[in-house]
Structures are given as structure tokens and as C-alpha cells.
Amino acid sequence: MSNTMYAELPQSGPDLLTREKETYPDIFHEGAAAEYSKAITGAHDLVVNFLHRNRKPFSGIPAAELKAAFAAIDFDTPLPDYESLLQEVQELYVKHATAFHLPEYIAHLNCPVVIPAIGAEVLIAAINSSQDTWDQSAGGTLMEQKLISWTCNEIGFGKEADGVFTAGGSQSNLMGLLLARDYYATAYTQHNIKKAGLPAEASRYRIFISEKAHFSNHKNAALLGLGEQSLVEIKTDERFRMNALLLQEAIEREISQGNIPIAIVATAGTTDFGNLDPLAEIGRIAARYKLWYHIDAAYGCGLLLTEKYRSLLNGMELAHSVTIDYHKSFFQPISSSAFIVRDKKYLQLLRMHVDYLNPKDEDYDDLNQINKSVTQSTRRFDALKLWFTLRLMGKQKLGAYTETIIETAEKAAEVIALDSDLELLSYSDIGVILFRYAPEKYKGSDLSALNQYIKKALFNSGEVLVASTRVNGDFYLKFTMLNPLTTLDHIRHILQLIKQHGAAYHPKN
Ligand SMILES: *Cc1c(COP(=O)(O)O)cnc(C)c1O
């Protein structure tokens, strides 16, 4: 850097303070309160417009058309004011954004969000605490810890339990498998993987999951150096839940082949089918073989808050570790997720001492949460959203929303089952319905192509967004119900549209 550049910098002193206030209106500071209000009000107005104007879950704009609108954007030429900025964002983003809050959105596992949580986001962004160390968060750390111990208690864990907020279920699942791997190596073979790397026998480590488990498990096994080959996929029963008998057989088979079972991952609410593996039965098997037991409750965790359906989670308290996605089933904005362990001593396996972040001579070691994270140092104060939600609404209200969703899904499944044009494949414990359009007149033609056509037609019109999946190679339509505002009337209307599009289909011969 040349000396002339230094010469141009303002001198320090009280003068500088005044000048900064005048000349840095875009940095969040005392002198920028008016600018702050302008930005927040502008963003707020855009959101209110979004609520009023976006009447369909999707505008239906073709990707190429939207992409073309980006060609003229030049970052080297900033816009003159918020008005132009908001106008541009309206056109490029908000106008065509997926509206997850609309009752006709029943595609991905992305819930409508509750208002208190959105209010919390305003504070999270502006104050910008970082949850990794006490000296960057103070009360934020205590709030997070209080919410974690509340979650532990809801799961049925005792006082020894602990956990941490994470960016999502995939990350929490990674932590579960990481602990499983390192726990086995440390406790049974006195091998410290963190220091020494994988032992030779790690290629024989085996992790048992259902064939319908979330794909993040495969990625995570690969990341952990065990490879996807370490995963033993257990077949599911007629409702797509892990078959515990086959699990036991598989464990025995792997042992007899000289492999080393280290963990079982059960899914409480599969992404595609919304069913829960038999958690208690699997827990007993894990205990019998001394295996780490991780429960992926990214989706099913919402049941924790219901009285009526809480029993579906019985056995969860047997887990060593649990994945909770508040942004899937607690109506929280992305990101909001947690990794929970039954005993906080397991988290010791993650510890990596870094002198400047967690100096040994400071006595608030428990409050430096950096020790609980694997893939994050700087970490958002996402917990504040759940705090706003629980303190204002209470868990009963959230639980009641989940019950409404489940009841609507049950009735919707009945309607589909009774409709001779539709073929119900499965309905779930929590709100997933798989079915296809299969009327008499299309018997013998390619039903997968027909239903793919329907899904595409719905997406292009943007009126209704549904999901899909393949089961044994066949294409099925899928409803993922996460919105208490979606009523049976909406479902009937959606089914009507499905049939209309289906009837317009012309099979290619
Ligand atoms: C969504 C999901 C995940 C992944 O969670 P993200 O928050 O999307 O990373 C993991 N497991 C299950 C069962 C899920 O449904």
C-alpha cells in the first residue's frame, strides 16, 4: 500500500466520529438509525406486497425467461436508492418466489413460518451475535442452552443431555455419525481418529440404516472416510418403516462376515414417506449389540409437541444422539436445527482446542459453544427465533397445528382411496401421501409418464405445487402436508386439477 493512500484516510479523534456518522450511513451504527429504518421498512413493504400479490405458490415463469432478466445486471454500477433496489428485487426474486405459506403448496418439506420467529430474524441480523463463544453472544448463549435443555426434556432425556443448534438436519446427521465413529474407535479400540486418522479396520465399520433413510447419511458416510460401502441398508415393511427383524439379521450377518457394526440410524419420519421406524424396538437391538443409536427426527420432531401423537416417538429416549429440524416441523424459518446427545460427555469427542477462541485459562468453558460444533465456528443466533415462538405461542399451539395437519392428511388419504381414478400407495403417520392418477382409460399405458406430465403441468401453471418420488421405479405424486391452513377443500380442489391435467394427457404411442 502506498503512503499517499494513508494520507487520504481521515485523521482520528472526535472529528472523525462526527464525520463517520455523516459519511457511513450504510454501516450499522448509531448514526445510521434513519437509514436502518428505511431499509427495514422497505423490506417489510416488499414482504407485505408478497402476501397480497403472490396468490399462487409459483408464478410459473420459465427458467430461461427469468435468467434472461439477469443479463443486464452490472455489480459495478450500484443502484441510486432503496426504491430502485427493492423494485429490482421484486422483479428478479419476490415476484417469482415460491410461496410456501399458501395452502396449495404441498411439495417439499418446507413449512410455513410463524410470525414471532420472523420478528426475531430482525434482531438476529442487526445485532449479529455469534454463538461460538460467550464473549460474542452472552445472553444469546444462555437462551440457546435453555432451548436445548427444553428440547432434551421433550425428547425424554435426563439432566446429562446436551446439544447445539446447527444449520440443518444434514449437518446434525453428520455429527451423529461422527460421534458414532469416534465413540467406537475410542471406547473399544483406544484409537484417536482425530489425531491418528482412520484405523485400518475402519473399512469394516458398518452402519445400519433403512433403505428409505435420508440421502445425507450417504454423503456423511463418504465425508467421514467410511465410504457409502459402510452403510447397510435394511429393507422396509409395507409402510416403508425399517424392518427390525431384518435389521437384527443384517447385524448378525455382518458380524459373521468379519465386519464391525458401530451404529444404527433410525428415521423418525422419512422424507419420502413420512413414517417412523420402530424406534423402541431398534433401540433394544442397538443396546443388545452395544451400537451407537442415532435417530434422525428432522421431520418427525414435530410430534414432540402433540399430545395425541407423541407416543409415535416412544423409544426416542434410547438414542445416543438425535437430529431435530425446527425448520421442518416447528414452523421456524430456515435455518433452525439442533443436534442433541443423551449425555454431554459424548460431545467431548468433538473437542478441538483453539487457543484464541477457547483459552484454557477462562473459566466459562461451558459457555464457549465452539466445542460443540464440527463444521461451524461463527454461528448465527438462530435460537432466538424459537425463543420468540415458544415464549409467545407456547408449545401447545404448535402441537395443535401439527395435529390439524395430521388430521387433514388422514382425511385426504381417505378421499384419495375412495376415488376410482386415483391409486393410493401410502399414507403416513405425519402428513405424506403418495398416490398416482390411474383411471380406467389409461390402463396399460405408461402411468409414470402420465403422472410426470401432471406434475409438470401443475408446476408450469404455478397454481399448485406437489412433489413426487419413485417407488420401485414407478413415478408417484406426493403431498407433503405441513400447513395447518391447507384444508380438505384445498385438497379436493388440488385433486380436481390433477384429474383435469391428467384427462388432457395424450400418451405417445
Ligand atoms: C430434511 C431432512 C434431512 C436434512 O435436513 P436439512 O435441514 O435439509 O439439512 C435429514 N433427514 C430427514 C429425514 C429429512 O427429512
Side-chain angles (χ1 to χ4, degrees):
M1 212 186 284
S2 73
N3 281 335
T4 49
M5 278 188 78
Y6 278 112
E8 281 162 20
L9 287 176
Q11 302 301 306
S12 56
D15 245 19
L16 169 67
L17 225 60
T18 342
R19 269 166 66 188
E20 267 184 347
K21 281 180 192 172
E22 287 160 7
T23 52
Y24 296 101
D26 35 21
I27 288 185
F28 183 68
H29 78 298
E30 184 197 342
E35 192 74 4
Y36 172 72
S37 299
K38 201 199 293 176
I40 291 292
T41 311
H44 159 272
D45 292 349
L46 215 58
V47 173
V48 173
N49 272 340
F50 172 65
L51 287 178
H52 289 314
R53 286 192 201 159
N54 294 46
R55 310 313 298 242
K56 298 193 295 181
F58 179 50
S59 71
I61 190 170
E65 193 180 313
L66 191 52
K67 215 168 160 184
F70 280 75
I73 305 293
D74 170 19
F75 287 121
D76 295 340
T77 322
L79 295 164
D81 48 31
Y82 272 103
E83 214 170 24
S84 339
L85 169 66
L86 295 169
Q87 181 61 31
E88 180 178 282
V89 171
Q90 165 67 23
E91 290 303 313
L92 295 179
Y93 170 59
V94 182
K95 196 168 166 186
H96 308 290
T98 308
F100 297 104
H101 62 278
L102 292 176
E104 294 85 1
Y105 183 89
I106 46 174
H108 290 280
L109 260 171
N110 197 344
C111 55
V113 296
V114 288
I115 299 291
I118 303 175
E121 283 282 13
V122 178
L123 269 103
I124 295 168
I127 298 181
N128 206 28
S129 295
S130 182
Q131 296 292 91
D132 47 340
T133 58
W134 164 254
D135 66 356
Q136 299 182 78
S137 60
T141 292
L142 300 176
M143 284 171 140
E144 171 167 344
Q145 291 188 342
K146 186 119 183 137
L147 287 163
I148 289 290
S149 60
W150 172 80
T151 306
C152 294
N153 187 53
E154 292 296 328
I155 290 172
F157 286 160
K159 279 203 286 293
E160 295 308 307
D162 198 5
V164 66
F165 270 68
T166 66
S170 305
Q171 195 179 29
S172 298
N173 281 345
L174 173 66
M175 294 176 77
L177 285 194
L178 173 67
L179 290 195
R181 184 195 73 176
D182 288 12
Y183 182 78
Y184 176 83
T186 314
Y188 298 111
T189 67
Q190 283 78 49
H191 180 95
N192 184 339
I193 292 181
K194 211 156 56 204
K195 287 216 156 63
L198 291 173
E201 64 175 21
S203 66
R204 289 187 285 126
Y205 285 2
R206 291 293 177 269
I207 298 158
F208 300 81
I209 62 170
S210 121
E211 58 178 343
K212 304 301 182 199
H214 193 259
F215 71 91
S216 59
N217 290 297
H218 296 75
K219 276 196 190 175
N220 293 338
L223 273 173
L224 291 170
L226 303 176
E228 291 182 14
Q229 60 94 32
S230 64
L231 297 176
V232 180
E233 294 192 6
I234 308 299
K235 290 241 174 288
T236 51
D237 65 13
E238 73 290 346
R239 292 195 63 209
F240 306 101
R241 299 169 297 199
M242 191 195 287
N243 182 321
L245 215 64
L246 294 181
L247 167 66
Q248 168 126 7
E249 278 176 27
I251 295 171
E252 289 290 345
R253 187 183 63 239
E254 292 297 326
I255 293 172
S256 73
Q257 289 173 356
N259 290 323
I260 308 167
I262 63 165
I264 304 173
V265 177
T267 312
T270 52
T271 317
D272 262 354
F273 303 93
N275 283 323
L276 290 88
D277 291 341
L279 303 180
E281 216 176 330
I282 295 173
R284 281 192 289 275
I285 294 172
R288 191 175 314 142
Y289 292 94
K290 296 195 165 52
L291 305 181
W292 186 273
Y293 186 22
H294 178 74
I295 295 182
D296 176 1
Y299 180 12
C301 60
L303 296 169
L304 285 172
L305 307 182
T306 78
E307 282 192 13
K308 217 165 150 187
Y309 304 103
R310 172 64 178 82
S311 60
L312 286 168
L313 292 174
N314 285 352
M316 203 178 196
E317 69 287 352
L318 301 172
H320 293 82
S321 58
V322 176
T323 290
I324 300 283
D325 255 3
Y326 308 108
H327 65 213
K328 292 273 182 74
S329 296
F330 279 53
F331 309 98
Q332 297 297 294
I334 304 161
S335 295
S336 183
S337 187
F339 176 68
I340 307 284
V341 286
R342 188 175 71 212
D343 192 322
K344 58 166 146 310
K345 73 177 182 214
Y346 300 138
L347 292 174
Q348 298 282 334
L349 292 163
L350 301 172
R351 284 181 88 94
M352 246 330 156
H353 184 77
V354 183
D355 241 354
Y356 78 93
L357 278 176
N358 41 11
K360 278 197 174 118
D361 51 13
E362 285 179 12
D363 61 354
Y364 37 74
D365 203 38
D366 271 2
L367 299 173
N368 285 332
Q369 303 196 98
I370 179 92
N371 293 327
K372 300 178 191 171
S373 286
V374 236
T375 51
Q376 284 174 293
S377 303
T378 307
R379 190 161 56 83
R380 284 187 106 230
F381 182 21
D382 285 317
L384 187 64
K385 293 178 279 190
L386 187 59
W387 186 278
F388 264 56
T389 305
L390 286 176
R391 294 299 288 147
L392 202 63
M393 296 173 60
K395 74 164 191 174
Q396 291 82 359
K397 213 164 179 180
L398 294 180
Y401 289 165
T402 297
E403 287 179 8
T404 302
I405 291 164
I406 294 174
E407 277 150 25
T408 308
E410 279 172 1
K411 289 184 205 137
E414 267 173 49
V415 170
I416 293 171
L418 291 174
D419 193 320
S420 58
D421 286 347
L422 303 172
E423 189 183 293
L424 179 70
L425 177 75
S426 88
Y427 64 97
S428 78
D429 299 317
I430 40 181
V432 178
I433 302 172
L434 280 169
F435 68 100
R436 60 184 178 178
Y437 178 63
E440 199 56 41
K441 78 166 186 175
Y442 290 115
K443 283 274 146 70
S445 52
D446 183 349
L447 290 177
S448 289
L450 166 62
N451 283 273
Q452 265 171 309
Y453 167 85
I454 294 172
K455 187 187 172 199
K456 213 167 175 180
L458 289 171
F459 184 76
N460 289 339
S461 83
E463 278 172 287
V464 165
L465 293 197
V466 304
S468 60
T469 194
R470 282 188 179 272
V471 182
N472 300 326
D474 290 331
F475 187 91
Y476 284 86
L477 298 173
K478 175 174 140 185
F479 289 173
T480 311
M481 300 178 56
L482 288 167
N483 192 345
L485 294 173
T486 302
T487 63
L488 201 56
D489 281 343
H490 290 112
I491 297 294
R492 286 207 178 90
H493 172 65
I494 293 167
L495 293 172
Q496 198 54 42
L497 287 174
I498 286 173
K499 290 202 254 182
Q500 270 171 25
H501 284 297
Y505 175 71
H506 299 290
K508 292 185 200 80
N509 299 316

